[in-house]
Amino acid sequence: MRPAPEYGVPPEAALPRVRDFAQTMISRRTVREFSDRPIPAGVLEQALRAAASAPSGANRQPWRFVVVTDPAVKRRLRVAAEAEEQLFYERRASEEWLAALAPLGTDASKPFLEVAPAVIVVFEVHRGPGTPRPYYVKESVGIAVGFLLAALHQAGLATLTHTPSPMRFLNELLDRPPEERGNLLVPVGYPAERATVPAVTRKPLSEVVVWR
């Protein structure tokens, strides 16, 4: 054990700081149209440092982040993901699910996997020859991804969380061991010049927060 880090800011600064952060995060939107403009050096590494600092069950840190920037690998990633997505839209998804997706304008085409300058592939790390049994894996990885999205947004970068299903193809394509299981893909970059986003709204706090 060691002393806890220092917490607290002057009382008069607490509300403005959290309000500014909330406003910044509220402005974040999922982007599906990316530019190929390069990401400044060092930004991805620092965002991943933030992600890797997330809390996890028993401190197992059950995540692996594979950063894909090679155009040939991104191309293969897109082809493989689109094959799974085609089956999803044609056979696997229920009518109810497809109806829920309709306002977002999504389909089996995933050009962002190839156009975005980087795609961060997030894996869950389960028990294996060199990895201990993890606990609360999905919860832990979910928190880490939240940290990652927040950090990238702070850097002025656009992101998207993409979950082709199933994701078993990722292990072979990215040469990952079987104890690592695909969780999601995060294309990262700048929006295309005339990128648009769906006109969706967020639920008011009164619907999602209960005070007791």
Side-chain angles (χ1 to χ4, degrees):
M1 295 294 180
R2 64 182 183 182
E6 286 193 20
Y7 280 87
V9 297
E12 65 275 11
L15 178 57
R17 283 181 62 164
V18 72
R19 184 171 52 212
D20 289 347
F21 179 76
Q23 194 57 45
T24 297
M25 294 311 300
I26 288 168
S27 71
R28 194 206 72 82
R29 291 296 306 275
T30 291
V31 171
R32 292 181 172 83
E33 300 168 281
F34 283 85
S35 162
D36 61 359
R37 176 182 166 192
I39 297 170
V43 169
L44 290 181
E45 181 179 5
Q46 293 304 313
L48 290 164
R49 282 187 68 210
S53 76
S56 60
N59 194 37
R60 295 299 199 206
Q61 305 167 56
W63 42 64
R64 189 81 72 237
F65 304 97
V66 179
V67 183
V68 181
T69 58
D70 185 302
V73 180
K74 287 193 296 176
R75 174 63 183 168
R76 288 163 51 206
L77 191 61
R78 177 185 177 181
V79 169
E82 286 184 339
E84 296 294 351
E85 289 292 280
Q86 195 68 45
L87 291 173
F88 170 82
Y89 281 93
E90 290 179 355
R91 305 178 192 174
R92 294 171 179 157
S94 65
E95 290 301 319
E96 182 180 18
W97 197 342
L98 293 175
L101 290 172
L104 303 180
T106 62
D107 56 28
S109 179
K110 308 298 176 186
F112 46 75
L113 293 175
E114 193 170 6
V115 178
V119 178
I120 302 173
V121 183
V122 184
F123 287 88
E124 304 168 4
V125 181
H126 292 262
R127 187 170 190 169
T131 54
R133 177 182 175 182
Y135 302 94
Y136 299 104
V137 178
K138 291 191 180 301
E139 294 87 346
S140 301
V141 173
I143 296 169
V145 170
F147 278 31
L148 177 63
L149 297 181
L152 292 169
H153 186 63
Q154 290 286 337
L157 294 170
T159 55
L160 160 72
T161 52
H162 175 49
T163 52
S165 181
M167 293 191 236
R168 289 186 293 272
F169 69 91
L170 292 171
N171 290 71
E172 180 178 356
L173 195 153
L174 299 174
D175 193 27
R176 304 312 305 161
E179 62 268 21
E180 295 184 14
R181 304 176 193 172
N183 180 276
L184 54 74
L185 289 72
V186 184
V188 184
Y190 294 96
E193 186 175 347
R194 292 180 175 82
T196 59
V197 297
V200 298
T201 57
R202 302 297 188 194
K203 294 179 181 179
L205 282 185
S206 60
E207 289 188 21
V208 299
V209 177
V210 178
W211 299 91
R212 286 284 186 254

